[in-house]
Structures are given as structure tokens and as C-alpha cells.
Amino acid sequence: MPPTETLLAFAAATLLFAYMPGPAILYTAAQTLSRGRRGGLLAALGIHCGCYLHVAAATLGLSAILLHVPEAYAAVKLAGAAYLVWLGLAMIRRRGEGAGFVPPPAKTARRAFLESMLVEILNPKAALFFLAFLPQFVDPAAALPVWAQFLLLGTVVNLCFSSADLVTVALTDRVLAALRRSGGAQRLLRLAGGGLLVALGLRLALEER
């Protein structure tokens, strides 16, 4: 493995990227606002699982396709953006269950897992992040094979990012707890969550690499 000072730099950079407010944190907050704590936790788990695909792709060198084939990058980016916008509009259109804050059914919360995993898979910027970030801390001369270093470092990065998502769920749930007695809270939270997803989709579609 790389020397200790390199690993310390890796840990510091990873935590900085993980806890810097970004699309994943906003997405997790939106899911929690709309679907409650259970939905937020399952959304965080879906992002976590989907992220392993990017780790594996970086390990195998497949992410380089997105870097060197602009058409492939654009296709994945637009598919991910369209899916985010579709999820946001569906969240906004969903009817409330009555007065007060009512937790969504378990089936709806579980859907957050599959939707979030697909959102992460269709995020080409995540793929390019791992492709650019991990090689800086891989040591070809180490006893551990390069592919194993990629997997190990990628897993650490993924766990750090997921810890930030879990903190986001906990903080957002505190907001929900304060609003549960409000008759119009459920609709407002759903609109806020859906609006966030639409905004993230449009941001992804319009962003350059």
C-alpha cells in the first residue's frame, strides 16, 4: 500500500469531498423530506450500492470510455438527468394521504432504494470522479495488486460518502419531527423534495464535464 503520509492525505481528501454539500447530499435530503426517515435511509443505501458499480468500472478501466467517448458520456448524463426530473415530477404529483404528516407506506420507501441505485449508476460524474481520484493513491510497486488497491480505496471512499448521507438523513428527519403536527407539512415537504430532484436533474443536464 502507499506510504502513511499518502494514506493520510487520501483520508483527508475523501472526508472533505464526502461532507462537502453536493448533489448526493441534496438528493438524500429530498428523499427524506418526501418519504421520511425510512425512505431516506433506503435512498442512502441505494446510492451506496450503485456506487460500487463505479468503483468496479474504475478498477477495470471501463470508466475511461466515458472520458474518451463524449457521446457515451452525454448519453449517460442525459439519461440520468431525465430520470431525476421524472422522479421529481412524480413526487410533486403524488397525492397526500390527508391532514398532518403521514409516513409513506413501506413499499414506497423501498422503492427509494431501487430508484436511488439507478440514479447513482446513471451519474457519469461519479464514474469520472473515481477514475480521476483513486489512481493518485495507488502504488504500483506495493505488494497488494493494483486492482485490489482500487477496490479497497474505492470502498473506503464509498463508506465515507455514505456516512455523510446518513448524517443528512438524521438532520433532515429532525426537520420532519418538528413539522409532523402541521396540517400542510406533508404536501410542502413533498413539493420541496420533488423540486430538489427536478433542480438536480436540470443541473446535471446543463453541466459540462
Side-chain angles (χ1 to χ4, degrees), residues 31-45:
Q31 289 289 352
T32 308
L33 285 173
S34 178
R35 288 171 162 153
R37 181 173 59 181
R38 176 181 170 84
L41 290 173
L42 287 174
L45 179 61

Side-chain angles (χ1 to χ4, degrees), residues 90-103:
M91 193 177 287
I92 291 171
R93 290 197 305 266
R94 197 171 70 235
R95 293 183 178 275
E97 287 82 359
F101 183 88
V102 180

Side-chain angles (χ1 to χ4, degrees), residues 5-17:
E5 57 271 19
T6 302
L7 292 178
L8 289 175
F10 167 76
T14 298
L15 289 173
L16 178 64
F17 281 121

Side-chain angles (χ1 to χ4, degrees), residues 3 15-16 22 46 64 75 87 94 100 105 134 152 172 180 189 191 197 204:
L15 289 173
L16 178 64
L87 287 178
R94 197 171 70 235
L134 295 183
L152 180 59
T172 308
R180 280 190 176 111
L189 294 173
L191 290 175
L197 295 187
L204 178 60

Side-chain angles (χ1 to χ4, degrees), residues 134-153:
L134 295 183
Q136 301 178 57
F137 305 97
V138 170
D139 183 6
L144 196 65
V146 168
W147 66 266
Q149 293 182 57
F150 263 96
L151 288 179
L152 180 59
L153 295 174

Side-chain angles (χ1 to χ4, degrees), residues 108 138 181:
T108 301
V138 170
R181 295 187 181 89

